[in-house]
Amino acid sequence: MTSPADVAPSSAGAGVGEAERYQVIIVGAGLSGMYQLHRLRQLGRSARVYEAGDGVGGTWYWNRYPGARFDSESWTYGFSFSDELLQEWSWNEHFAPQPETLKYCNYVADKFDLRRDITFRARVASAAYDEDANEWEIGLGDGRRARSRFLITAIGPLSAPTLPAIPGLEDFQGEAYHTGRWPHELVRFEGKRVAVIGTGATGVQTITEVAKTAAHLTVFQRTPNWCAPLRNSPIDPDTQKRIKASYPEIFARCRDSFGCFIHAADPRNALEVSPQEREAFYEKLYNEPGFAFWMGNFRDVLIDRAANDTISAFMRGKIRQRVRDPALAEKLIPTNHGFGTRRVPLESGYYEVYNRPNVRLVDLRQTPIERITPHGIATSAAAYQFDMIIYATGFDAITGAFDRIDIRGRAGQRLKEKWADGPRTYLGLQSAGFPNMLTLVGPHNAATFCNIPRCIEQNVDWVTLLLRYMGEKGFTRVEASEAAEDAWTHHVHESAARLLLIQIESWMTGVNRNVPGRHKRTFMAYAGGAPKYRERCDEVAAKGYEGFILS
Ligand SMILES: Cc1cc2nc3c(=O)[nH]c(=O)nc-3n(C[C@H](O)[C@H](O)[C@H](O)COP(=O)(O)OP(=O)(O)OC[C@H]3O[C@@H](n4cnc5c(N)ncnc54)[C@H](O)[C@@H]3O)c2cc1C
């Protein structure tokens, strides 16, 4: 049922000039935006998606760098909402490469005929709440405008790329690419001197691939990370059949685990078993695919320092075994954080890259970059010449895409200013003062620590039911109360307090030294786990959307 105050789509709205009007505007056509559009259509709502890129897929549309692939098992990542889709689509590899995932996103868009309600090449530059009309007005980069009762952001947790804060970026005369804005055309490395700046999850994938064909590769490393083996393999026909026959069990397992991955933590504490048993368990996990080593480990390795020390020591041993030059191995071993307290890159031969004669490592802790020059990179110790520089410097995570839109709520309040000292939200789905704006995979949501599509489906289903409820009851406005927001924000910080990672600077704690104003540690995600988060969201809904003011 549709609320009486919902507006029907039309090309021109009274008093708003040329603004197009919809019941709901969704920003972003990644998995979140695509699924939200599908569910709103089922609800009979008119919705329009505005997407900056010229295709669907979000992350998988933009991140075309060499080596880009899943860390999630492919068969746990795809949408679960359509049995037909699950049976039709066959993943070729346990951890699909980016082209396969982009193909999947396009397949979903075609199957559910999504493109007719998506405007591509449409970057939303502003979004302002008009209190009198109880509507949002968005402004696109090219001046076009559109209005709607509800605004749903699906702009991605890792979608605002950042370049390093180094002078001279514009001076370089060779080829330069950011991994998150990789060209659609084939980029060749043969015969070239290539530099990669950054050794996070993306850098590790890129470096491993580029080293295979570049004439010479120089890796500029500021912070080494603890990388664990991905152990990818093709999916054979028998396994394919088994996967397709067991989707309900697969998704049930994901649903019950902390981060909706197939891996669940071992119920034992690391120090309660003998050193031999512990070592054998680590060895077994090290040989398992995906995030088993991170997520399937002893339950206390990410919260107890002594437990964490045991796993970090095991990993140090592995790096020393795999890298032939002992001095180089030491440079690749993290010293400022324990295993798992920053995002763990999964690798397929990363450490062995450093045994190749065409690869060198520059440790930026010893010799920092001073500037990019017309022909390369100058550190405090040397001037290096390159044909290509690849910036694997990641994203202004979680709130970056919000900051890049001028979002104004009631009384013109700017979201960026409200969140200047860290996000404030209720359930990670709304922020007080921004009525009718709902934030999928936003800050303080369980989604950030999640096998994300599992959490996207939860977020979208919850938002869709909220809109249905409002329609049925004749409500046209929903806003989180200040009290509910305070309590949730407090709970988010409390939920993270016991984690070792809260003591470490990383994008998970809101620190990005390449972005002005991102130097202070805060907490960006809900760390109580997806099951608890889902329970809380369901409870709020069951109590008539407790903590939200509906009118
Ligand atoms: C390299 C890489 C690998 C990853 N691997 C995994 C993995 O293995 N498992 C996992 O669970 N997660 C992974 N992730 C996280 C990934 O982002 C999510 O899995 C998921 O794709 C998020 O979907 P989304 O739709 O919420 O956001 P996105 O896919 O980021 O889509 C957001 C969309 O919004 C658009 N947008 C943003 N701002 C605007 C604006 N102002 N106007 C218009 N459009 C806008 C963007 O162009 C983008 O298309 C990975 C991320 C990266 C970067």
Side-chain angles (χ1 to χ4, degrees):
M1 185 185 139
T2 311
S3 135
D6 279 330
V7 286
S10 68
S11 58
V16 291
E18 295 303 312
E20 293 185 355
R21 314 191 93 193
Y22 305 94
Q23 290 167 348
V24 185
I25 285 175
I26 301 165
V27 189
L31 270 76
S32 299
M34 289 164 73
Y35 181 48
Q36 185 64 78
L37 172 62
H38 175 65
R39 294 285 275 128
L40 287 172
R41 274 191 192 160
Q42 288 178 325
L43 201 61
R45 302 296 168 96
S46 70
R48 190 85 203 156
V49 181
Y50 290 94
E51 165 55 53
D54 66 4
V56 297
T59 287
W60 308 106
Y61 169 87
W62 294 107
N63 290 268
R64 298 166 188 246
Y65 61 85
R69 67 171 65 244
F70 280 150
D71 293 326
S72 296
E73 284 75 4
S74 313
W75 33 274
T76 69
Y77 187 95
F79 284 122
S80 75
F81 68 87
S82 161
D83 282 339
E84 213 177 270
L85 173 64
L86 286 167
Q87 294 309 318
E88 281 170 13
W89 182 263
S90 301
W91 294 102
N92 292 317
E93 296 181 44
H94 284 281
F95 300 89
Q98 172 273 335
E100 189 178 347
T101 310
L102 181 58
K103 210 163 143 193
Y104 171 77
C105 295
N106 280 300
Y107 185 85
V108 172
D110 290 339
K111 180 170 176 64
F112 298 100
D113 188 21
L114 298 179
R115 285 194 188 79
R116 68 183 154 90
D117 288 322
I118 304 176
T119 305
F120 293 107
R121 290 175 292 279
R123 179 166 291 283
V124 174
S126 65
Y129 178 64
D130 173 344
E131 201 153 1
D132 294 335
N134 186 25
E135 282 180 356
W136 280 88
E137 177 165 312
I138 60 144
L140 301 181
D142 62 6
R144 280 178 292 165
R145 290 176 300 128
R147 284 197 157 227
S148 61
R149 170 112 316 143
F150 294 96
L151 175 67
I152 300 181
T153 62
I155 51 184
L158 299 171
S159 63
T162 52
L163 286 164
I166 307 172
L169 290 180
E170 303 302 325
D171 299 345
F172 184 60
Q173 289 171 8
E175 297 170 73
Y177 307 108
H178 188 287
T179 48
R181 288 290 178 271
W182 198 260
H184 292 200
E185 303 74 40
L186 184 68
V187 175
R188 294 199 163 278
F189 310 105
E190 287 88 349
K192 293 180 187 163
R193 297 161 302 171
V194 181
V196 175
I197 301 179
T199 53
T202 287
V204 164
Q205 290 181 334
T206 307
I207 289 161
T208 311
E209 208 49 39
V210 173
K212 292 176 186 165
T213 52
H216 197 275
L217 170 65
T218 307
V219 176
F220 290 85
Q221 170 190 271
R222 189 175 60 182
T223 310
N225 283 293
W226 300 102
C227 310
L230 174 67
R231 306 212 185 278
N232 184 32
S233 57
I235 297 178
D236 62 55
D238 283 348
T239 311
Q240 189 73 260
K241 269 191 216 135
R242 262 204 317 279
I243 289 172
K244 289 196 180 183
S246 54
Y247 271 125
E249 293 82 51
I250 291 170
F251 292 129
R253 259 177 80 186
C254 291
R255 213 181 133 80
D256 286 345
S257 79
F258 181 90
C260 295
F261 282 88
I262 200 79
H263 317 283
D266 189 282
R268 295 169 299 168
N269 289 324
L271 296 172
E272 87 191 28
V273 303
S274 70
Q276 294 76 6
E277 201 178 330
R278 195 164 51 238
E279 196 73 5
F281 180 62
Y282 289 158
E283 192 63 46
K284 172 181 158 294
L285 286 182
Y286 198 76
N287 286 298
E288 286 180 13
F291 276 141
F293 199 74
W294 194 18
M295 313 252 169
N297 220 305
F298 293 118
R299 61 191 280 273
D300 61 343
V301 292
L302 302 180
I303 49 180
D304 181 79
R305 188 168 296 283
N308 189 267
D309 286 347
T310 65
I311 186 120
S312 301
F314 175 87
M315 291 299 273
R316 265 195 297 279
K318 286 292 178 197
I319 299 170
R320 287 174 183 147
Q321 270 170 23
R322 291 176 60 183
V323 179
R324 278 203 292 269
D325 174 347
L328 193 51
E330 292 314 303
K331 287 185 183 172
L332 290 161
I333 293 175
T335 50
N336 65 353
H337 67 284
F339 173 80
T341 59
R342 290 163 60 99
R343 167 72 155 74
V344 176
L346 293 182
E347 50 86 23
S348 308
Y350 175 65
Y351 290 112
E352 287 72 15
V353 158
Y354 295 96
N355 297 333
R356 298 176 69 110
N358 66 331
V359 177
R360 86 180 137 206
L361 180 77
V362 176
D363 186 343
L364 300 181
R365 292 166 302 183
Q366 288 169 2
T367 56
I369 295 180
E370 290 187 335
R371 65 177 302 114
I372 307 291
T373 65
H375 301 291
I377 296 176
T379 68
S380 59
Y384 301 90
Q385 301 221 327
F386 298 113
D387 303 303
M388 183 192 297
I389 300 178
I390 299 174
Y391 298 102
T393 42
F395 303 92
D396 185 2
I398 305 177
T399 50
F402 287 92
D403 285 356
R404 291 178 188 198
I405 306 174
D406 182 8
I407 301 176
R408 291 171 194 255
R410 265 195 294 111
Q413 185 186 18
R414 291 191 69 189
L415 186 68
K416 189 173 176 175
E417 278 162 20
K418 180 177 172 185
W419 286 358
D421 289 329
R424 303 190 55 76
T425 80
Y426 182 36
L427 298 178
L429 288 164
Q430 231 199 8
S431 196
F434 297 81
N436 290 0
M437 179 175 121
L438 294 144
T439 54
L440 303 174
V441 195
H444 292 181
N445 204 294
T448 320
F449 279 158
C450 196
N451 179 15
I452 293 189
R454 304 281 61 79
C455 286
I456 287 175
E457 288 185 338
Q458 182 275 341
N459 274 205
V460 168
D461 290 345
W462 191 93
V463 164
T464 307
L465 289 179
L466 167 67
L467 263 56
R468 189 179 77 179
Y469 177 85
M470 290 178 69
E472 285 168 357
K473 301 277 180 197
F475 292 127
T476 59
R477 193 174 179 284
V478 56
E479 183 181 351
S481 74
E482 297 274 356
E485 177 174 285
D486 286 349
W488 182 255
T489 302
H490 177 74
H491 179 57
V492 164
H493 288 268
E494 203 178 48
S495 74
R498 67 197 185 106
L499 298 178
L500 293 172
L501 71 79
I502 195 75
Q503 299 160 20
I504 305 297
E505 286 190 358
S506 78
W507 62 260
M508 294 193 281
T509 50
V511 178
N512 184 334
R513 300 233 162 245
N514 293 324
V515 181
R518 287 263 192 278
H519 290 192
K520 213 177 108 190
R521 249 185 269 156
T522 175
F523 203 64
M524 291 293 209
Y526 175 62
K532 270 201 191 141
Y533 176 77
R534 191 171 48 238
E535 220 173 89
R536 182 75 188 118
C537 288
D538 290 349
E539 186 184 54
V540 165
K543 290 184 178 165
Y545 296 92
E546 185 183 45
F548 288 97
I549 303 159
L550 290 156
S551 56

